Amino acid sequence: MSHHLDSPAARRDVRLDISDLYVFRGERGTVFVMNVNHSIATEVTGHRVPAGFHPDAQYEFKVDTNGDAIEDLTFRFTFDGPALRLHGLAGTHATHPEARGTLLAEGDVGTTVEGPDGLRLWTGRAGDPFWIEPGVLHAVGHALTDGTRADLPSTARAQNLFAGHTVYSIVLELPDRQLPYPHSVNVWARTNLATDAGGWRQVNRAGHPMIHPLFTQFHEDLGDELNATEPADDAANYGKLFADTVAAVVAAYGTATDPGAYGASVAARLLPDVLPYTVGTPAVYGFNGFNGRSLTDNAPDVMFSLATNTPVTIGLGSDSVTSPPRQQFPYVPQDGGPTATG
């Protein structure tokens, strides 16, 4: 899994569970995609999951424009049944869930909504563009947890766990005039839930894919902790843990002369947990570097191989999804899943 059902808090209401974040070049500018509320949750939890988006939640794209892992821009979606609103917040307001911001667009779920200067958005149910082979997923997770080589299964008959499943997608496309261009930014997604006391509680956040399968798949309390903290604190909070975890596996494989140094280099690449992207360029989340993430990047192979310093493949590619991504807005796959929730 990328971030699907990544912690106990996320599973309590999967409408708040961010399964994936994508950032890439679109037809008009930079595209942000956040997927939540995965249909597989019904099978995993045994409970019927409400369709759509949570009416008491904030769904946010965070953008850091100066490299300090603190958001300078926030694009916040809120929902009231079929109606949605998008607010933009900048500067110090971008960090506060209580700040109101500026209304940029409003409309209905399932329709393309136009905003100022070419901004557009779409929300609704879509096919899940992510793919994973569960046997490899669990084997790599155990290796990182136990500090051993991964006991990898054969991938000769690999099957995508998420084939036929759906998500609820939030798609936002910003024209170039609305972001520094060309300029490097860091992006993450976040969900907040209103509390009985009148404030907001951060439930989930996502930057890089596969962070939770690698480091918290069998350490779920850490998953809840990661989701509740801020990217700017990641290196101090989790740097040593990530470095030591990777170093132990690499030592077991014998693929680095200095496993500790290799582990530290991986931790430095992954923390803070934000997705780097240079505005205006093709996105690729690959072995040679991270620059956004397209809807067809093979994140599992990249991250599993990086964490073990050993070639690891799940035996699947983008052709294993039920519906391919669209070339035109809103880009996400059409909803074609027979096991869809709702």
Side-chain angles (χ1 to χ4, degrees):
M1 301 183 185
S2 185
H3 284 262
H4 304 63
L5 309 176
D6 61 10
S7 66
R11 288 195 297 275
R12 279 194 285 273
D13 194 322
V14 298
R15 291 175 295 178
L16 305 169
D17 177 38
I18 304 169
S19 56
D20 282 288
L21 169 69
Y22 302 90
V23 181
F24 54 90
R25 182 74 178 163
E27 297 168 313
R28 295 183 183 178
T30 302
V31 180
F32 304 84
V33 177
M34 180 195 319
N35 288 337
V36 299
N37 201 353
H38 200 281
S39 63
I40 204 171
T42 299
E43 299 176 18
V44 173
T45 66
H47 303 291
R48 186 180 182 278
V49 177
F53 304 96
H54 200 298
D56 298 318
Q58 298 172 337
Y59 297 82
E60 299 179 328
F61 293 111
K62 301 287 194 177
V63 183
D64 159 34
T65 63
N66 60 14
D68 62 0
I70 298 173
E71 59 269 44
D72 303 293
L73 300 170
T74 292
F75 298 93
R76 177 182 297 154
F77 287 78
T78 55
F79 297 87
D80 183 5
L84 67 89
R85 289 187 172 187
L86 167 64
H87 285 82
L89 302 95
T92 57
H93 295 288
T95 64
H96 296 295
E98 294 85 4
R100 295 179 62 87
T102 301
L103 180 64
L104 298 178
E106 56 186 333
D108 293 327
V109 173
T111 66
T112 297
V113 179
E114 297 280 350
D117 299 322
L119 175 152
R120 59 180 171 177
L121 60 93
W122 182 91
T123 63
R125 196 168 70 180
D128 188 358
F130 184 71
W131 60 92
I132 196 66
E133 203 292 315
V136 177
L137 168 78
H138 297 316
V140 173
H142 277 298
L144 270 290
T145 300
D146 302 332
T148 62
R149 292 184 177 219
D151 184 14
L152 296 170
S154 170
T155 57
R157 298 184 178 180
Q159 294 188 359
N160 178 10
L161 177 66
F162 297 141
H165 278 284
T166 59
V167 292
Y168 281 84
S169 291
I170 298 174
V171 183
L172 171 65
E173 185 163 12
L174 295 178
D176 291 329
R177 66 180 65 90
Q178 296 195 20
L179 280 179
Y181 175 87
H183 189 74
S184 295
V185 297
N186 294 312
V187 182
W188 64 101
R190 189 171 82 175
T191 58
N192 305 315
L193 182 65
T195 68
D196 292 338
W200 295 89
R201 177 172 63 88
Q202 181 174 312
V203 176
N204 212 247
R205 70 172 167 107
H208 287 286
M210 310 307 295
I211 292 291
H212 289 273
L214 287 173
F215 297 103
T216 73
Q217 187 177 160
F218 302 107
H219 189 352
E220 291 199 319
D221 289 344
L222 178 60
D224 270 345
E225 183 182 331
L226 272 166
N227 279 321
T229 54
E230 299 294 340
D233 300 322
D234 282 347
N237 288 342
Y238 313 113
K240 186 178 187 304
L241 172 65
F242 279 29
D244 291 349
T245 299
V246 170
V249 173
V250 171
Y253 273 102
T255 52
T257 303
D258 187 340
Y262 181 81
S265 72
V266 171
R269 287 189 68 183
L270 299 181
L271 299 176
D273 182 15
V274 295
L275 193 59
Y277 177 64
T278 299
V279 176
T281 65
V284 59
Y285 199 89
F287 292 103
N288 289 331
F290 305 144
N291 184 47
R293 181 186 175 196
S294 79
L295 291 165
T296 56
D297 283 330
N298 194 336
D301 281 14
V302 170
M303 291 291 273
F304 290 166
S305 299
L306 175 66
T308 60
N309 200 29
T310 301
V312 175
T313 180
I314 63 172
L316 298 170
S318 59
D319 58 348
S320 67
V321 302
T322 302
S323 301
R326 288 174 270 193
Q327 296 301 309
Q328 294 79 36
F329 188 86
Y331 309 111
V332 292
Q334 292 182 335
D335 169 16
T339 56
T341 299

